[in-house]
Amino acid sequence: MNYSASSVSQGRINQAKAEEQPNTFASENGVSSVTQMSSLDKPKQRMAGQLGHRALEYLNEPAEQQRTDNWMALFGQSNEGMEFNQAKINRGLPAV
């Protein structure tokens, strides 16, 4: 007989539960044993990961990095880009 370790483990858990006579006070929604699947003390991880797909693409692909840098240079020369960069420099402070 070849049984996987997880099957044997689950069988032992089921045997232990069958031998117990749990009090109805200790049940939650009709379940005597609640298994928490996620960590409640950590915030949910972003779906894109810690850096995100776009940032990883920028960091790992020289052609994409060059394309993005060229776009940023052209944007910086536009009226909107100049306003954006000036606001970044002033950090929202009004120009005097």
Side-chain angles (χ1 to χ4, degrees):
M1 290 186 255
N2 290 331
Y3 294 107
S4 67
S6 61
S7 295
V8 173
S9 176
Q10 186 61 47
R12 290 292 184 191
I13 292 170
N14 290 342
Q15 283 178 343
K17 285 182 182 179
E19 291 174 0
E20 292 178 359
Q21 295 181 357
N23 188 346
T24 57
F25 176 76
S27 66
E28 181 178 338
N29 295 332
V31 179
S32 60
S33 175
V34 177
T35 304
Q36 181 66 34
M37 299 305 285
S38 62
S39 181
L40 297 176
D41 63 338
K42 296 180 183 175
K44 288 186 178 181
Q45 184 178 2
R46 291 182 53 219
M47 293 300 289
Q50 295 299 323
L51 295 175
H53 177 72
R54 177 71 181 103
L56 288 174
E57 184 179 41
Y58 178 80
L59 293 173
N60 294 327
E61 295 183 23
E64 184 59 29
Q65 189 173 11
Q66 184 63 41
R67 189 188 71 79
T68 302
D69 291 344
N70 288 342
W71 187 92
M72 290 297 291
L74 292 173
F75 177 71
Q77 295 173 7
S78 70
N79 291 335
E80 294 85 0
M82 288 181 190
E83 290 174 10
F84 178 80
N85 289 332
Q86 190 63 40
K88 271 194 333 187
I89 291 169
N90 291 337
R91 296 180 189 237
L93 300 175
V96 180

